[in-house]
Amino acid sequence: MLDKLQAVYSRYEELCAKSEQPDFYNDPKKAAALLREKNDLEPIVEAYLAYRRAEQDLLDSQELMADPEMRELCQQTYKQAKESMEILRDQLRILLLPKDPNDEKNVIVEIRGGVGGEESALFAHSLYRMYSMYAAKMGWRIQLLNYADTELGGVKEADFIIEGRGAYSRLKYESGVHRVQRVPETESGGRVHTSTATVAVLPEMEEVDVQINPADIEMQVYRASGAGGQHVNKTSSAVRLIHKPSGIVVACQEERSQLQNREKCMMMLASKLYDMEQDRIQSENDGMRRSQVGTGMRNERIRTYNFPQGRVTDHRIGLTIYKIDAVMDGALDEIIDALATADQAEKLKNAAK
């Protein structure tokens, strides 16, 4: 590990020297890429230098303890340095794990009502509200792409972008089937029903990130429905794209022009094709299976929201918390932090094999 850290430190020093050259910004695209690399390496370098300082403190105090008069004074320094080295060593192991290249990207979230009829649509609306409130707490921006509601205020489907640094790194664990157990608003007998909704979280991709043959796309236009002003009933601004080779269908009706909706659809299509390709690669490579707590399969039940008991349970890591009202109001950090920690632990275990 120390050899790898020394190599990282050398690369960081090299990037610092390059960034100080007068011609560094002559190629803005290359400069931006090098600065991103430098920023990515900086936390590792800081922890590595702290580790080296602690190591030097340990060696110095160890040497001074040979003097009986200095022994008691140096024992505390020795102990603190040893503890710091152990903590920093664990931090460095995590920092050296391969980073998900998509962690800093915006995300596309797709929510669909599942099993349970109107109650599943109402739960899908609750999930949309939950993620919207979490995004607001994180200072992220939501951009609605496609929204189809029901007469009772539920959601048949909702597609939206969450824009913010690190959005994918936090929300990538949310893909899967979410189950709710509660007394529906439509239930007069007070019985608890079980319903589901599905959530898909994709890193936002641009057309340049994924090769798409225009001949493979069928475009359909139609009139938007729902709130949106006069253009809703008078113009065919909504766009639906069908990718014929894969069968993927994407739609956007929230923008005011057909061109803007088409651009959003192309971005959604690129993200879905990227995700499909990642699934194919991982299924073909036995050594690259999706981790238990990572970006799970769409049909995997990942979490239960039990309202009568006031609990939320994440089945992947066996975590149960009794804060359902706070969670539904967007307090997701406790769950996401636990999932991220479990994911890191699993990766560390695999790296040690």
Side-chain angles (χ1 to χ4, degrees), residues 277-292:
E277 178 63 11
Q278 293 303 109
D279 279 344
R280 185 191 66 78
I281 292 170
Q282 289 177 346
S283 65
E284 287 181 359
N285 190 336
D286 289 339
M288 292 179 62
R289 303 232 182 252
R290 288 182 184 268
S291 71
Q292 181 184 358

Side-chain angles (χ1 to χ4, degrees), residues 172-175 178 292-296 300-303 313-319 335 339:
K172 63 184 177 182
Y173 305 108
E174 295 301 299
S175 286
H178 295 242
Q292 181 184 358
V293 296
T295 46
E300 175 195 359
R301 189 190 73 190
I302 63 167
R303 195 174 297 152
T313 298
D314 196 287
H315 304 289
R316 293 164 292 181
I317 55 175
L319 173 71
I335 297 173
L339 287 163

Side-chain angles (χ1 to χ4, degrees), residues 106-117:
N106 300 333
V107 295
I108 298 173
V109 182
E110 300 176 340
I111 300 175
R112 301 286 184 272
V115 177

Side-chain angles (χ1 to χ4, degrees), residues 106-110 128 131-132 135-136 139-147 158-164 167 171 204 206 251-257 259-265 267-268:
N106 300 333
V107 295
I108 298 173
V109 182
E110 300 176 340
Y128 173 68
Y131 292 125
S132 298
W140 298 336
R141 177 173 171 262
I142 283 190
Q143 188 177 356
L144 199 58
L145 298 172
N146 191 38
Y147 190 91
D159 304 328
F160 52 99
I161 302 172
I162 296 182
E163 298 175 343
L171 292 173
E204 182 186 22
E206 301 293 337
C252 183
Q253 63 173 11
E254 297 302 319
E255 298 294 342
R256 289 193 166 271
S257 76
L259 179 62
Q260 289 173 315
N261 281 323
R262 186 185 184 282
E263 287 176 354
K264 290 291 189 301
C265 279
M267 179 266 296
M268 293 169 70

Side-chain angles (χ1 to χ4, degrees), residues 56-348:
Q56 190 59 52
D57 288 345
L58 184 137
L59 292 172
D60 290 345
S61 58
Q62 199 171 24
E63 187 177 332
L64 288 170
M65 278 195 291
D67 183 346
E69 294 182 4
M70 298 289 292
R71 181 172 299 168
E72 188 174 343
L73 185 65
C74 293
Q75 277 180 338
Q76 185 63 25
T77 303
Y78 177 86
K79 182 182 177 184
Q80 288 176 347
K82 191 174 182 181
E83 289 175 355
S84 294
M85 285 179 66
E86 289 174 1
I87 293 168
L88 287 163
R89 192 181 290 115
D90 289 341
Q91 288 179 2
L92 286 164
R93 285 198 186 99
I94 293 171
L95 287 168
L96 285 173
L97 288 172
K99 277 191 71 176
D100 187 330
N102 298 316
D103 273 352
E104 295 302 307
K105 288 183 180 290
N106 300 333
V107 295
I108 298 173
V109 182
E110 300 176 340
I111 300 175
R112 301 286 184 272
V115 177
E118 184 62 38
E119 168 60 8
S120 72
L122 290 169
F123 178 50
H125 178 269
S126 298
L127 292 177
Y128 173 68
R129 176 181 176 274
M130 179 181 78
Y131 292 125
S132 298
M133 294 183 77
Y134 181 66
K137 289 178 181 180
M138 297 295 289
W140 298 336
R141 177 173 171 262
I142 283 190
Q143 188 177 356
L144 199 58
L145 298 172
N146 191 38
Y147 190 91
D149 55 7
T150 65
E151 291 182 2
L152 295 180
V155 169
K156 294 177 185 175
E157 56 185 52
D159 304 328
F160 52 99
I161 302 172
I162 296 182
E163 298 175 343
R165 186 173 180 183
Y168 184 71
S169 70
R170 299 296 288 167
L171 292 173
K172 63 184 177 182
Y173 305 108
E174 295 301 299
S175 286
V177 177
H178 295 242
R179 182 176 69 168
V180 64
Q181 294 171 327
R182 64 183 178 186
V183 178
E185 296 175 21
T186 54
E187 170 60 51
S188 58
R191 293 175 300 172
V192 175
H193 286 226
T194 298
S195 304
T196 64
T198 61
V199 176
V201 178
L202 310 173
E204 182 186 22
M205 292 290 165
E206 301 293 337
E207 288 182 64
V208 294
D209 298 321
V210 180
Q211 289 187 343
I212 303 175
N213 185 347
D216 292 337
I217 299 172
E218 177 186 335
M219 176 173 164
Q220 300 174 350
V221 295
Y222 57 99
R223 291 184 179 181
S225 60
Q230 292 182 348
H231 79 289
V232 167
N233 296 318
K234 291 187 176 180
T235 63
S236 296
S237 60
V239 172
R240 182 184 296 111
L241 297 184
I242 302 169
H243 187 251
K244 290 179 279 191
S246 65
I248 292 173
V249 179
V250 293
C252 183
Q253 63 173 11
E254 297 302 319
E255 298 294 342
R256 289 193 166 271
S257 76
Q258 189 181 111
L259 179 62
Q260 289 173 315
N261 281 323
R262 186 185 184 282
E263 287 176 354
K264 290 291 189 301
C265 279
M266 288 300 293
M267 179 266 296
M268 293 169 70
L269 179 59
S271 298
K272 283 177 171 284
L273 289 171
Y274 173 84
D275 190 61
M276 179 181 286
E277 178 63 11
Q278 293 303 109
D279 279 344
R280 185 191 66 78
I281 292 170
Q282 289 177 346
S283 65
E284 287 181 359
N285 190 336
D286 289 339
M288 292 179 62
R289 303 232 182 252
R290 288 182 184 268
S291 71
Q292 181 184 358
V293 296
T295 46
M297 301 303 289
R298 305 288 184 265
N299 60 355
E300 175 195 359
R301 189 190 73 190
I302 63 167
R303 195 174 297 152
T304 294
Y305 305 76
N306 186 300
F307 279 80
Q309 297 177 15
R311 67 172 171 87
V312 179
T313 298
D314 196 287
H315 304 289
R316 293 164 292 181
I317 55 175
L319 173 71
T320 295
I321 58 174
Y322 290 87
K323 302 175 183 177
I324 195 163
D325 290 338
V327 168
M328 300 312 294
D329 285 341
L332 291 172
D333 277 332
E334 185 175 350
I335 297 173
I336 292 173
D337 287 343
L339 287 163
T341 300
D343 194 21
Q344 287 173 348
E346 188 172 337
K347 288 174 181 174
L348 284 169

